Amino acid sequence: MRDRSVFFVEMVLFFVAFMWGIHPAIVKIGLVTLPPVPYNALRLLLATAVAWGAVWASGTYRPVAREDVRLLVQISLAGFFVFQLFFAAGVEKTTAGNASLVVCMLPVSVAVINRVCGLEPITGRMAAGIAASLAGVVLIVLGSGKEISVASEHWKGALLLLGAQAGYGYYTVFSRRLLGRYSAYQVTAVVVTISTALFAVMALPDLAAISWGGVPVAAWLSVAYSGVFAMCVGNFLWVWGVGRIGSARTSLFNNFAPVFAVVSGYYLLGEAFGLMQMAGAAVIFWGLYYARPKQAGLPAAPARAAGRED
């Protein structure tokens, strides 16, 4: 039964990787008519509304204890908001190949944070799985023809993206501490709300400059997918997965997103998909399989408050 439970969690996280993998192609549709800052602000506002709707519909809201306020603010500001802020800026200042590689450093960020804070052990098998996963991403990037550059003008973007991934790693690791007392819905809703408030203030001038009557339906659908599925549903399930199998194992599924990205690019945009990408996907799958404990049971879940369900 425990093996089946782990398999179910892994299938859910594969679905999250799928949603995140096809996300870039859908975002490109929205960015044809909406600038990046207003686009990001709109999807954050939509995600906030949907997240609190899910909290209300699930009946899982619980007043936040005073001792948890600080941690929620920390994972919102130093985690989720840092990711949103640095990611957009970093992508603009480096190559697509560099961005793809740095985005897939999340398992490394999570492993380092766990190691430094002594939260989750990183076994030899887990380290090998992380290394294989990164090698698979390199193959996919090279096979896609994206430029990987070490030129000085690209370092600033790469460093911003590293900061973004460190922020998301912080959010991934420390959100687990709250899952014993609050549902994944509520944790996500609070984190997204704090980040949205900050981002909306920054985006007000750009939002005011938009001619809303000229925004096509395709752009609104792009915003809807990004806010509802990629951000809201994806983060619900991501936080839930962290609570079930731990942050280190969950973070490995982040590196399946490029696999789904190249497959969707092949079918939707006519982009190349060859032997090198196939080999990269196979290496990523092997890395995840090797990183699984020999007895793939669920780790002890954080103690939950009575009478609530995720």
Side-chain angles (χ1 to χ4, degrees):
M1 289 298 293
R2 290 176 67 83
D3 284 341
R4 289 184 180 180
S5 297
V6 171
F7 180 75
F8 176 72
V9 174
E10 291 175 338
M11 290 302 100
V12 169
L13 291 172
F14 270 121
F15 177 64
V16 174
F18 169 76
M19 287 193 295
W20 289 349
I22 67 174
H23 185 220
I26 294 174
V27 168
K28 286 181 181 179
I29 297 172
L31 292 180
V32 170
T33 52
L34 284 173
V37 172
Y39 183 93
N40 210 21
L42 286 172
R43 74 191 190 105
L44 279 164
L45 288 166
L46 180 59
T48 299
V50 173
W52 283 111
V55 173
W56 175 81
S58 64
T60 57
Y61 177 78
R62 185 185 182 195
V64 178
R66 182 177 299 178
E67 60 269 21
D68 293 328
V69 171
R70 182 177 179 181
L71 180 56
L72 275 166
V73 172
Q74 284 177 342
I75 65 174
S76 299
L77 299 183
F80 200 79
F81 177 70
V82 163
F83 174 76
Q84 297 298 327
L85 186 63
F86 285 10
F87 181 78
V91 168
E92 291 180 348
K93 297 180 183 298
T94 191
T95 66
N98 286 0
S100 298
L101 290 178
V102 176
V103 163
C104 291
M105 294 292 287
L106 179 62
V108 178
S109 298
V110 169
V112 170
I113 293 170
N114 275 317
R115 177 75 174 181
V116 171
C117 298
L119 299 174
E120 289 182 26
I122 304 299
T123 64
R125 296 180 68 89
M126 178 64 71
I130 292 172
S133 178
L134 292 175
V137 172
V138 171
L139 290 174
I140 288 175
V141 172
L142 293 176
S144 300
K146 296 176 181 177
E147 181 188 1
I148 299 175
S149 174
V150 295
S152 59
E153 63 266 23
H154 296 307
W155 274 104
K156 186 175 181 179
L159 289 173
L160 286 169
L161 287 169
L162 281 173
Q165 287 309 100
Y168 204 80
Y170 184 89
Y171 161 68
T172 297
V173 170
F174 288 98
S175 61
R176 192 182 188 198
R177 289 188 173 183
L178 297 162
L179 294 177
R181 299 180 290 282
Y182 312 98
S183 69
Y185 300 117
Q186 186 171 344
V187 172
T188 303
V190 173
V191 169
V192 171
T193 299
I194 294 173
S195 301
T196 299
L198 291 172
F199 203 89
V201 171
M202 296 173 54
L204 279 177
D206 297 281
L207 289 169
I210 298 294
S211 176
W212 298 106
V215 178
V217 173
W220 287 116
L221 291 175
S222 173
V223 169
Y225 177 85
S226 183
V228 176
F229 293 98
M231 181 173 291
C232 198
V233 176
N235 277 285
F236 283 156
L237 298 177
W238 187 258
V239 172
W240 173 81
V242 169
R244 294 303 183 273
I245 64 173
S247 59
R249 286 173 62 189
T250 298
S251 67
L252 284 172
F253 286 86
N254 175 73
N255 288 7
F256 282 99
V259 178
F260 293 115
V262 296
V263 171
S264 64
Y266 174 77
Y267 284 106
L268 298 178
L269 305 175
E271 296 178 351
F273 184 76
L275 290 176
M276 192 171 292
Q277 289 101 318
M278 293 176 64
V283 172
I284 293 173
F285 273 100
W286 180 86
L288 178 64
Y289 174 80
Y290 189 78
R292 298 174 87 233
K294 292 183 179 180
Q295 299 296 326
L298 291 170
R304 298 194 56 79
R308 295 190 301 110
E309 296 179 356
D310 278 345

